[in-house]
């Protein structure tokens, strides 16, 4: 009689114990990372602990060169904004129009992970389209943002450069955007001629900007296979120009005109996955070669 009462109770206790152990095991598998000192991390959530362990492992795999690259910051600016007047492709065969901002954004988004894979830090100066219709006013806002980032990074002992990514356009008729034969790639650094109070002309330019522009332009021509547009300015390698984004930034800056969005062949290249990747690769390799040369 007693056994009949006790037996079901023992069976229930056994099932309850097994179920409890199963739940505990699930919690261990899901929430507690392996080889973690729980006492050390008892005040943190398990997911934070796991993240710390992964980051620690990744840091241990990074070589000395990568650690040195962490001292360098690459600022990317996505050229223009979605609402900037005239900065767009001609109408495509299907009737659509692609904004230059979107083409530039695709290339920057490809370049960011490539740059960071080499150990460099990177940031997009205008990650969202807030440049607006008034191009000069908008550009001053973005330049101000670039300079704030630069000063903060330099205060931490970092070297900073800025890459202003664009796609070129040839528009003989100012009132009509159409496809033309103009093709190729070119990179610009800051340069201008000024006249002093004695009437003498002097050249002002960014020496580091020129080195960076030459390094990037060389790779853009070799990696993408696009025509070398610098020749149209009677100069190979790179071109000096007095663009605001090159003149007013507090760090060496380069404007990369990847290819012509008003050329059918160039545009097909820019819109292809391979084309965007090759532009990003060329820019990244140029950046890396520039910093390597600086460390010699």
């Amino acid at each position: 009689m007693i056994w009949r009462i006790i037996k079901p109770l023992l069976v229930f206790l056994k099932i309850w114990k097994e179920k409890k152990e199963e739940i505990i095991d699930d919690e261990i598998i899901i929430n507690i990372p392996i080889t973690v000192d729980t006492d050390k991390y008892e005040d943190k959530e398990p997911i934070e602990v796991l993240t710390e362990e992964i980051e620690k492992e990744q840091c241990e795999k990074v070589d000395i060169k990568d650690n040195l690259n962490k001292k360098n910051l690459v600022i990317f600016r996505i050229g223009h904004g979605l609402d900037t007047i005239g900065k767009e492709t001609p109408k495509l065969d299907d009737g659509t129009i692609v904004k230059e901002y979107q083409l530039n954004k695709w290339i920057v988004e490809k370049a960011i992970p490539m740059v960071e894979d080499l150990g460099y830090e990177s940031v997009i100066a205008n990650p969202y389209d807030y440049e607006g219709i008034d191009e000069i006013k908008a550009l001053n806002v973005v330049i101000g943002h670039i300079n704030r980032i630069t000063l903060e990074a330099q205060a931490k002992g970092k070297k900073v450069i800025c890459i202003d990514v664009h796609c070129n356009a040839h528009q003989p008729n100012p009132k009509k955007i159409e496809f033309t034969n103009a093709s190729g790639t070119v990179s610009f650094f800051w340069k201008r001629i000024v006249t002093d109070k004695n009437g003498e002309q002097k050249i002002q330019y960014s020496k580091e900007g020129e080195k960076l522009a030459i390094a990037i332009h060389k790779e853009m021509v070799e990696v993408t296979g696009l025509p070398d547009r610098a020749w149209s300015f009677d100069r190979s390698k790179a071109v000096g120009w007095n663009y605001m984004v090159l003149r007013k930034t507090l760090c060496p800056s380069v404007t990369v005109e990847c290819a012509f969005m008003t050329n059918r062949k160039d545009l097909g290249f820019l819109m292809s996955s391979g084309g965007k990747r090759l532009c990003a690769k060329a820019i990244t390799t140029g950046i890396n070669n520039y910093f390597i040369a600086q460390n010699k």
Side-chain angles (χ1 to χ4, degrees):
M1 183 71 177
I2 296 174
W3 174 246
R4 288 180 181 178
I5 296 172
I6 294 175
K7 186 177 180 180
L9 182 59
L10 291 174
V11 171
F12 172 78
L13 289 172
K14 182 181 179 182
I15 293 172
W16 177 81
K17 183 175 182 293
E18 289 175 351
K19 187 66 175 176
K20 182 178 180 183
E21 289 175 349
E22 180 183 341
I23 293 171
I24 292 172
D25 286 342
D26 283 346
E27 289 176 349
I28 291 172
I29 293 170
I30 295 171
N31 292 326
I32 303 178
I34 300 171
T35 69
V36 172
D37 184 347
T38 53
D39 292 335
K40 181 180 177 181
Y41 297 99
E42 61 184 1
D43 59 335
K44 298 184 180 181
E45 292 295 326
I47 189 64
E48 294 178 46
V49 176
L50 182 58
T51 302
E52 277 192 11
E53 291 299 307
I54 292 172
E55 289 177 349
K56 182 180 177 182
E57 288 177 8
Q58 289 175 341
C59 288
E60 289 172 351
K61 294 177 183 177
V62 175
D63 60 25
I64 296 173
K65 179 183 175 183
D66 288 334
N67 286 331
L68 290 174
N69 287 349
K70 283 291 183 185
K71 295 180 180 179
N72 303 318
L73 172 65
V74 181
I75 303 173
F76 284 97
R77 181 221 170 191
I78 303 169
H80 302 296
L82 283 171
D83 296 326
T84 306
I85 297 172
K87 304 301 180 181
E88 60 192 29
T89 68
K91 190 175 290 186
L92 306 183
D93 294 337
D94 61 1
T96 60
I97 291 173
V98 182
K99 296 287 188 176
E100 184 191 342
Y101 173 85
Q102 188 60 60
L103 293 169
N104 301 334
K105 186 172 184 284
W106 288 339
I107 294 168
V108 170
E109 287 175 344
K110 292 279 187 182
I112 288 285
M114 292 183 185
V115 166
E116 293 182 347
D117 281 347
L118 292 174
Y120 298 106
E121 291 188 1
S122 66
V123 64
I124 301 176
N126 56 331
Y128 308 105
D129 172 37
Y130 58 78
E131 292 201 26
I133 297 174
D134 187 336
E135 187 174 4
I136 300 300
K137 181 180 178 181
L139 185 54
N140 274 310
V141 171
V142 175
I143 291 171
H145 190 42
I146 291 170
N147 288 341
R148 283 193 295 275
I149 295 171
T150 299
L151 290 172
E152 288 176 5
Q154 289 176 342
K156 297 176 183 177
K158 297 181 184 295
K159 294 180 181 178
V160 186
I161 61 172
C162 178
I163 311 298
D164 181 34
V165 178
H166 285 260
C167 293
N168 218 334
H170 179 226
Q171 196 173 343
N173 183 353
K175 296 181 180 180
K176 186 178 181 181
I177 301 173
E178 54 190 346
F179 287 108
T180 71
N181 292 327
S183 170
T185 183
V186 63
S187 297
F188 295 93
F189 61 94
W190 177 64
K191 178 183 177 181
R192 70 177 177 181
I193 299 174
V194 296
T195 304
D196 64 19
K197 60 183 179 181
N198 298 320
E200 295 182 2
Q201 288 189 333
K202 295 183 178 180
I203 296 175
Q204 296 179 335
Y205 75 104
S206 168
K207 292 182 181 180
E208 292 304 317
E210 182 180 33
K211 292 176 186 176
L212 179 59
I214 289 172
I216 291 175
H217 182 64
K218 178 178 181 293
E219 296 301 321
M220 285 295 294
V221 173
E222 292 183 2
V223 173
T224 67
L226 291 164
D228 183 351
R229 192 69 186 179
W231 288 108
S232 64
F233 295 87
D234 297 322
R235 180 188 178 122
S236 62
K237 299 182 180 179
V239 178
W241 212 258
N242 194 26
Y243 290 132
M244 278 178 62
V245 74
L246 303 177
R247 181 178 73 252
K248 298 179 74 172
T249 48
L250 298 177
C251 62
S253 300
V254 170
T255 292
V256 184
E257 295 281 4
C258 297
F260 277 80
M261 61 182 178
T262 50
N263 179 284
R264 288 187 183 275
K265 187 176 179 180
D266 282 19
L267 181 58
F269 176 80
L270 289 167
M271 294 185 68
S272 69
S273 177
K276 292 190 284 284
R277 183 180 60 80
L278 288 176
C279 287
K281 181 182 178 183
I283 292 169
T284 301
T285 304
I287 289 169
N288 194 44
N289 289 342
Y290 167 77
F291 279 123
I292 289 173
Q294 277 212 326
N295 292 329
K296 286 182 178 179

